[in-house]
Amino acid sequence: FFGIYAGVPQSGSGHQPTSWYFFKRSLPGSPLPPVIPEKVGKLSQKFGEIIKQAAEAEFYGLSQVAGPGYRKALEYLIKDFVISRADKLGTNKEIVSKMQLGPCINAYIVDPLIKKTAQRAAWLGNDETHYLRIWGEKDIGDLKTLIKLACNGIDNQILAEEYEKSMEKKAP
């Protein structure tokens, strides 16, 4: 195995500068896979596959491909969620699959928390794929947090709807 260290220059006494070295990671290695709620994993298997690959790219220091990977994962998550509700929403798979992500979120995501977090994740994801960054103070960590929030919101909505459906027949 190889140990990867980062040097931090220190002001030394005498003529030779000194550095302190800190352990970053060892190779070969692999990241822990992202935690994906079970219901979301079943809803969008591609989301799980893509976000895992993006996390691996990030782990191996491939920062220029990790961000676009997370953005792609978000698109699959949102579109698979919308497609799973296409009948309720008055649309179909073909229409949703051809839409750009932003308009898809605006048109078909009803829950305000999911909508807000997904919109912001899409904005940061676009920063990862375009030449100019609009959200310069935000980074890939913020993108991952917003995707996680949208994912958890979708999981909560699915669970709530399942309980509502299973208990409606016996409601007082």
Side-chain angles (χ1 to χ4, degrees):
F1 69 92
F2 295 94
I4 309 295
Y5 292 83
V8 178
Q10 302 294 314
S11 58
S13 60
H15 298 289
Q16 292 189 343
T18 61
S19 293
W20 290 19
Y21 291 88
F22 297 94
F23 178 77
K24 289 180 72 179
R25 69 179 185 270
S26 62
L27 297 173
S30 59
L32 293 173
V35 176
I36 300 169
E38 182 181 343
K39 304 247 182 244
V40 173
K42 287 180 182 177
L43 172 80
S44 182
Q45 292 177 352
K46 278 291 219 188
F47 165 71
E49 183 181 327
I50 297 166
I51 202 161
K52 181 181 178 197
Q53 289 181 14
E56 288 174 0
E58 182 182 12
F59 178 80
Y60 290 116
L62 303 174
S63 60
Q64 296 302 310
V65 295
Y70 285 119
R71 165 59 174 75
K72 183 175 182 174
L74 173 69
E75 184 156 349
Y76 272 84
L77 172 66
I78 296 300
K79 288 187 175 183
D80 285 346
F81 178 61
V82 170
I83 288 167
S84 74
R85 293 164 157 54
D87 291 340
K88 282 187 204 177
L89 298 170
T91 189
N92 64 51
K93 179 179 180 173
E94 189 174 323
I95 291 171
V96 172
S97 64
K98 291 180 181 180
M99 290 182 81
Q100 291 183 350
L101 180 58
C104 181
I105 292 168
N106 291 333
Y108 297 117
I109 299 296
V110 178
D111 181 273
L113 183 61
I114 298 171
K115 182 176 261 187
K116 287 178 185 178
T117 56
Q119 284 172 330
R120 282 153 180 80
W123 299 342
L124 295 186
N126 288 341
D127 268 6
E128 296 296 326
T129 62
H130 295 141
Y131 191 79
L132 295 176
R133 293 184 74 84
I134 295 173
W135 302 94
E137 73 284 358
K138 301 294 183 194
D139 62 16
I140 202 166
D142 297 302
L143 172 58
K144 292 186 326 187
T145 298
L146 287 165
I147 291 171
K148 182 178 180 180
L149 288 167
C151 181
N152 289 342
I154 288 169
D155 185 54
N156 287 341
Q157 186 168 341
I158 293 168
L159 287 169
E161 288 171 357
E162 285 178 358
Y163 272 101
E164 183 180 339
K165 186 177 180 181
S166 72
M167 297 176 75
E168 68 187 10
K169 293 179 183 175
K170 293 182 184 178

